[in-house]
Amino acid sequence: MARRDISRHRGRSLLIVLLIMVPVAGMSGAATLVQSMQETPAERIQHQLGDTQARFRNMHAYNADMVQDPVVETATGSRNYAPDPDFVPLDPKDAIPPGYRVLTESQLTLRVTVGAAEVPLMAKAVDALDPAFTGKYTLLDGRAPAASDEVLVSRGLLERFSLRLGDRLTTSEGTFTAVGKLRDATYSDGNAILFLKPGQQKVQEEATARGPAPETIYYLVGRDQVTWDQIRELNRVGVAVLSRSVALSPPPRNEAGDAPGTGYDSQLWGGYLAGGLIGALALLEVGLLAGAAFAVGAKRQVRELALLAATGAEAPTVRAVVTAGGLWLGTVAVASGALLGALAAAAVVAVGRHLGSVRFPGFHPDVLLIAAAMGMGLLACLLAAAVPAGQVARQAVLGALKSGRAPSAAQPWPARIGVLLLVVAVAALAAGTGLGLVGGDPDVLASRTPLVAGLLIGGAVLTAAALVLLTGGVVALLTARSGWLPLPARLAARDAARNRSRTVPAVAAIVAAATLAIAVMVVAASQFENARKTHPWSARANQAALPLAETGPLLADGAVAPARVVDPAAVTGALERALGTVEWTRVLASPVARNCNMRAGAVASSRPGDGNCLQYKLGVPSGNECPTTQRGLVLDAGDWRCQGSMLPLGISGQIPQLIVGGAEELEALLGRKPGREALEALAGGGVVVSNPVFVKDGQTLLQAYDLRQAVTRPDHRADFEVVSDESLPAVVESPEVPVPYYGVISAEAASRLGIKVEPAVLLIQLSGYPAVAELDKASAALAGIYETQPAALHVEAGADRDSTSLLWLLVGLSALITLSAAGITAGLALADARSDHMTLAGVGAPPRLRKSMAGAQSLMTAVLGTSLGLVAGVVPAVLVMAATRTLAAPVVPWLQLLALLVAVPLSGGGLAWLFTRARLPMSRRLGT
């Protein structure tokens, strides 16, 4: 009987199928795409090694205790982070065992002239078309290079320089002819890459005055496997290895020692939990929409079902007929939704792979998550059918056979269950918030994340469900005193109270849609605020800093080539000729380290007397330390001791950490005139400090540390040994944004303290953020000044300026979602109320009144639904943001929410008035 009813009412059945199918397809597709972004070990081997057996590279280790990850060899870990001054890493080519054919790959940086600008170009020196690199490099078009000036290029290079195969490209290392288009499996095709063969033309392969030598990676071709034991031995001499056999069959965790985990599983927790909340609310919304459709269908079936009951069928049998319809439609919907989502994800992955994107290493359908989405969708459909099925089964046979239908009496159980669910929801939200907020150890709180998220998601869903069940009582309460309203609104209010069976599903669906939309808006607003507050400022907005010295490369004996001083006047003139937005420039002097090995991950070394290896920082007084856990996690990111300039973790940018100067330099850094106390502190030999965390009792501690003496801090982080400290009077003048510098000290005080000072950078203030063409002009102007190291103008863009527009865009999308729910439910309610409109027409009501009544009905349900959705969406979202301890406090975008609350009801009411037909179609008589 359910199957036959579905075939007779195909339009309503298709609507229900689509309502359930779309969210199931969305969740299935999203889960598949998320999994497809995770590279498997087999795919990593194919894309990184091709058909080679292993690759050897520099580990950048600073002691013999470093251990690599078995799959991602560049990820390292150790229980000893103390640099060993006697540790000398082995050259990877000297560690290659015999019996292998060796292929090399070196990454280079060339320069190409584009118009008036000289831009950097990535290049690789590798025999890319060697058969051993099958799967790593693929020739897409053209042919292999035959002459010494022929090269392979990526698609992005051809597009970047508007070239075609056969054209010539002039670089800083020679002129080449592009003869083939190559795909590198480790880079997207959109990257501009030039592929040469090792030793081709004048490519730099050794350290010269133009810069350090490029790193060379060695690929081993042969039958013998490289084992984990061999890798551990090679790690002890500073060589990292990606082995085919080890990556495909990694050692057990207890054998991997200190190797860091790849974190494939843990990386997915955040996405799964966020997707679970959105998916649960989405399915709740469409389940209620489907419930409204089932309610209308059940009313249309009432005569047929009553006849079935009159022939002796019991109430469970009558109820099962409607429920079976939900089972039929739900099964079709979830099966087609899962298939559609998987096929859509497969198409996205296939197109992305075809276009050369590395975002999707492969197609990885997640059967478990797809099955969960199908189960949730089927459950939503069955629940949507169960409520109207119960209502129909309770109707009296005699009353159902009559031509007119008396309104069913309001039942007390929905309100009672609603109150019970609301109590449970409040308890779940309180428990989740408590577990997320109680306790000060982030390590413990992180372990509670699954439980906290489950409680909060459950509480959010139960809150929406409770409000849905309480909707009938709210409708009755609000419509009891509607006598002062205009006639259309009075008719709509009385009809809503009289026919709750169609009013409640309509309001409930809008509640669910508004809850979903408003929760997403609150989360997005909080994240935008988080991004704004945690923006890593390198300077103030529209500022840039260029170095005034070019450091030479490392020489064979470990020393550094002499630095070349750059004329700041020449840099200023070049920029003013290239850009029309330069407001001012200022030279900032600072202690500068010279002739010190400052490579990342290497032990600093310098011969005594060769240069200045002292740098300076401000110490944090006792009691001002940022509270952290044993693992170094910040306990409370909102603590004043963990915020401001140089925090967290002593970050630095383009500006020197300690500036030597006066009022002009201080004004350039602050963005305003310095105060009188700050100027007096500079004149008195004190320090103007950027962050109050470095000051206690009016004093700050100026510490000098030697770059040649590395130590390990208690939190196992590498640092340098403090060789002297000096207590100085201090005044706090914080910049308008947390620019990363410690403070400003006068030249006289620096001289008194024996600090060697040199001009360090040229600070440039622009009137606006430059366009790409302007940056190209600036790069071209700077290319004639900076010889060995071409300088690029990195302008501070400031915090995310697009968040407000994105939030309004989200308001529009949320309004569209909520309005679509309002439109569907309004249409279903009007279809169910057609007989009532016929009655109005029969007693002489003009078409305008019936149109106004339809608009008032839609307006009332939308106002009530969005208002309840505001409560159900804001409260759980705020608690989720608070309990997960984001860096920014929860933010409620009241202006955008007000716009949503006004736009949706007005639009829904207007559309209902507009599309309600003035003339009703002829209808056959339903009975006597």
Side-chain angles (χ1 to χ4, degrees):
M1 292 185 67
R3 180 182 59 80
R4 291 174 181 175
D5 182 73
I6 290 172
S7 63
R8 283 198 302 267
H9 303 90
R10 297 179 181 177
R12 185 180 72 238
S13 302
L14 180 61
L15 174 64
I16 295 173
V17 168
L18 291 176
L19 288 173
I20 299 296
M21 183 184 70
V22 170
V24 172
M27 289 192 293
S28 301
T32 302
L33 289 178
V34 169
Q35 288 286 35
S36 298
M37 292 180 185
Q38 310 302 318
E39 188 179 46
T40 65
E43 290 168 344
R44 176 171 174 79
I45 290 299
Q46 178 186 0
H47 300 155
Q48 299 285 342
L49 294 182
D51 288 338
T52 63
Q53 194 64 244
R55 73 178 178 194
F56 285 35
R57 67 191 307 167
N58 195 324
M59 194 176 180
H60 301 291
Y62 40 84
N63 61 38
D65 297 325
M66 304 295 291
V67 181
Q68 69 167 72
D69 182 83
V71 180
V72 184
E73 82 278 16
T74 54
T76 59
S78 178
R79 295 184 181 179
N80 176 20
Y81 286 92
D84 183 0
D86 298 326
F87 176 74
V88 179
L90 186 66
D91 192 321
K93 69 179 179 181
D94 297 331
I96 298 174
Y100 294 96
R101 182 168 68 93
V102 179
L103 300 173
T104 61
E105 178 187 70
S106 301
Q107 185 165 313
L108 320 166
T109 300
L110 311 183
R111 285 174 291 165
V112 179
T113 301
V114 179
E118 192 175 52
V119 299
L121 172 64
M122 176 181 172
K124 281 189 174 185
V126 59
D127 190 4
L129 298 184
D130 189 289
F133 280 139
T134 301
K136 178 176 174 62
Y137 295 108
T138 304
L139 184 64
L140 301 177
D141 193 12
R143 60 174 177 85
S148 60
D149 63 342
E150 294 181 342
V151 294
L152 300 172
V153 296
S154 67
R155 176 178 58 84
L157 185 143
L158 296 177
E159 295 174 352
R160 174 70 175 87
F161 301 109
S162 301
L163 300 176
R164 294 180 298 178
L165 293 182
D167 292 345
R168 294 179 67 80
L169 177 67
T170 300
T171 73
S172 58
E173 301 295 344
T175 301
F176 305 98
T177 302
V179 297
K181 188 190 301 183
L182 189 72
R183 170 172 293 168
D184 186 343
T186 59
Y187 288 91
S188 295
D189 285 357
N191 290 281
I193 309 176
L194 182 70
F195 299 94
L196 307 107
K197 288 189 176 181
Q200 186 176 6
Q201 291 281 349
K202 299 180 295 182
V203 174
Q204 168 197 336
E205 295 186 0
E206 296 180 356
T208 66
R210 301 190 67 83
E215 180 184 4
T216 299
I217 303 174
Y218 301 89
Y219 293 82
L220 280 58
V221 183
R223 292 186 176 182
D224 295 339
Q225 300 178 349
V226 179
T227 65
W228 178 245
D229 291 337
Q230 290 177 285
I231 293 176
R232 290 296 302 269
E233 292 296 328
L234 291 167
N235 288 167
R236 293 186 179 95
V237 293
V239 177
V241 181
L242 175 60
S243 168
R244 176 181 295 275
S245 61
V246 173
L248 294 179
S249 181
R253 191 66 186 166
N254 58 345
E255 295 182 14
D258 298 324
T262 55
Y264 286 145
D265 296 331
S266 61
Q267 292 174 0
L268 302 179
W269 263 114
Y272 283 166
L273 297 178
L277 175 60
I278 295 174
L281 292 177
L283 280 173
L284 177 63
E285 173 198 349
V286 297
L288 292 170
L289 287 172
F294 273 118
V296 173
K299 288 184 178 181
R300 297 297 177 89
Q301 281 183 282
V302 68
R303 288 176 56 83
E304 301 170 7
L305 296 174
L307 289 173
L308 179 65
T311 60
E314 298 180 353
T317 304
V318 177
R319 185 166 55 247
V321 172
V322 181
T323 307
L327 181 62
W328 271 105
L329 296 175
T331 302
V332 173
V334 298
S336 56
L339 180 61
L340 179 63
L343 290 178
V348 171
V349 172
V351 171
R353 298 286 299 167
H354 176 72
L355 296 178
S357 172
V358 296
R359 184 179 297 274
F360 303 106
F363 177 61
H364 309 146
D366 194 318
V367 178
L368 182 60
L369 288 179
I370 292 177
M374 293 176 65
M376 292 171 66
L378 184 59
L379 180 61
C381 196
L382 289 175
L383 292 177
V387 175
Q391 293 175 348
V392 170
R394 285 193 302 269
Q395 289 187 3
V397 175
L398 183 59
L401 291 174
K402 290 182 179 180
S403 59
R405 284 200 316 270
S408 59
Q411 299 293 328
W413 64 265
R416 295 171 183 173
I417 296 178
V419 172
L420 178 62
L421 288 183
L422 190 60
V423 172
V424 175
V426 170
L429 292 173
T433 305
L435 288 174
L437 295 177
V438 174
D441 191 347
D443 300 332
V444 177
L445 295 176
S447 65
R448 301 177 186 167
T449 298
L451 178 59
V452 170
L455 289 171
L456 293 176
I457 291 174
V461 174
L462 290 177
T463 300
L467 292 178
V468 166
L469 292 173
L470 294 173
T471 298
V474 176
V475 169
L477 180 64
L478 295 179
T479 57
R481 296 175 178 166
S482 57
W484 58 275
L485 295 174
L487 179 60
R490 289 202 308 271
L491 290 175
R494 292 175 182 176
D495 182 77
R498 180 174 177 269
N499 296 285
R500 295 190 196 178
S501 59
R502 66 168 173 250
T503 305
V504 171
V507 174
I510 300 174
V511 168
T515 299
L516 173 63
I518 291 171
V520 171
M521 289 173 59
V522 172
V523 171
S526 302
Q527 290 178 342
F528 289 152
E529 181 67 12
N530 177 24
R532 188 188 67 80
K533 288 188 176 182
T534 59
H535 176 71
W537 295 87
S538 60
R540 290 197 298 112
N542 301 323
Q543 281 188 346
L546 290 171
L548 293 178
E550 293 185 282
T551 304
L554 292 172
L555 302 179
D557 61 352
V560 181
R564 174 181 171 272
V565 179
V566 177
D567 183 10
V571 176
T572 300
L575 289 176
E576 288 178 343
R577 289 189 296 270
L579 302 175
T581 57
V582 178
E583 292 187 348
W584 51 259
T585 60
R586 186 80 60 209
V587 175
L588 299 182
S590 176
V592 178
R594 297 293 184 211
N595 200 22
C596 293
N597 186 352
M598 298 176 66
R599 292 177 298 170
V603 180
S605 62
S606 179
R607 293 187 297 270
D610 285 347
N612 175 33
C613 289
L614 294 181
Q615 280 293 291
Y616 296 85
K617 64 180 179 181
L618 297 183
V620 179
S622 176
N624 287 7
E625 300 91 348
C626 177
T628 59
T629 67
Q630 293 182 351
R631 298 182 182 180
L633 297 178
V634 176
L635 288 175
D636 183 7
D639 194 314
W640 70 274
R641 296 169 295 179
C642 307
Q643 297 179 340
S645 298
M646 300 306 294
L647 293 177
L649 302 179
I651 58 174
S652 60
Q654 306 176 42
I655 296 176
Q657 296 183 3
L658 182 66
I659 294 116
V660 179
E664 293 182 349
E665 288 79 5
L666 191 55
E667 181 179 352
L669 296 168
L670 294 175
R672 64 177 186 275
K673 294 284 186 180
R676 180 177 56 84
E677 293 183 357
L679 297 178
E680 292 177 352
L682 283 177
V687 183
V688 179
V689 180
S690 63
N691 194 332
V693 75
F694 302 112
V695 179
K696 187 173 184 179
D697 299 330
Q699 297 287 314
T700 189
L701 193 64
L702 180 64
Q703 299 177 332
Y705 57 95
D706 195 331
L707 296 177
R708 297 165 295 184
Q709 302 179 28
V711 296
T712 302
R713 300 191 317 195
D715 58 1
H716 303 291
R717 297 181 182 273
D719 203 347
F720 298 100
E721 182 178 349
V722 175
V723 296
S724 67
D725 51 48
E726 184 80 21
S727 182
L728 299 173
V731 171
V732 178
E733 276 275 11
S734 298
E736 57 185 15
V737 294
V739 179
Y741 72 96
Y742 284 111
V744 179
I745 189 173
S746 66
E748 294 76 9
S751 176
R752 176 175 57 83
L753 296 172
I755 300 175
K756 299 180 180 180
V757 179
E758 298 180 20
V761 300
L762 180 69
L763 186 64
I764 304 123
Q765 178 68 61
L766 304 180
S767 58
Y769 191 79
V772 176
E774 293 177 313
L775 290 175
D776 286 345
K777 284 184 179 181
S779 298
L782 295 173
I785 299 175
Y786 290 87
E787 297 178 357
T788 61
Q789 298 171 357
L793 194 67
H794 298 288
V795 182
E796 173 58 56
D800 184 13
R801 300 174 181 176
D802 299 328
S803 59
T804 302
S805 59
L806 289 175
L807 192 58
W808 281 110
L809 177 61
L810 190 60
V811 170
L813 294 175
S814 302
L816 183 62
I817 293 173
T818 311
L819 192 58
S820 65
I824 292 172
T825 54
L828 292 170
L830 289 174
D832 185 54
R834 178 176 295 178
S835 60
D836 297 335
H837 283 260
M838 288 179 179
T839 303
L840 282 176
V843 298
R848 185 174 61 181
L849 176 61
R850 288 185 280 107
K851 288 173 68 72
S852 299
M853 178 182 172
Q857 285 177 324
S858 180
L859 177 66
M860 187 189 68
T861 56
V863 167
L864 185 56
T866 51
S867 300
L868 294 176
L870 176 67
V871 178
V874 169
V875 174
V878 169
L879 294 180
V880 166
M881 301 303 291
T884 52
R885 294 199 175 189
T886 56
L887 296 179
V891 174
V892 180
W894 292 114
L895 180 61
Q896 287 79 8
L897 292 180
L898 179 62
L900 182 68
L901 292 177
V902 172
V904 170
L906 291 180
S907 300
L911 292 174
W913 181 89
L914 182 64
F915 288 102
T916 298
R917 289 185 292 182
R919 294 185 179 273
L920 291 172
M922 295 296 294
S923 178
R924 66 181 177 88
R925 191 174 182 183
L926 296 178
T928 59

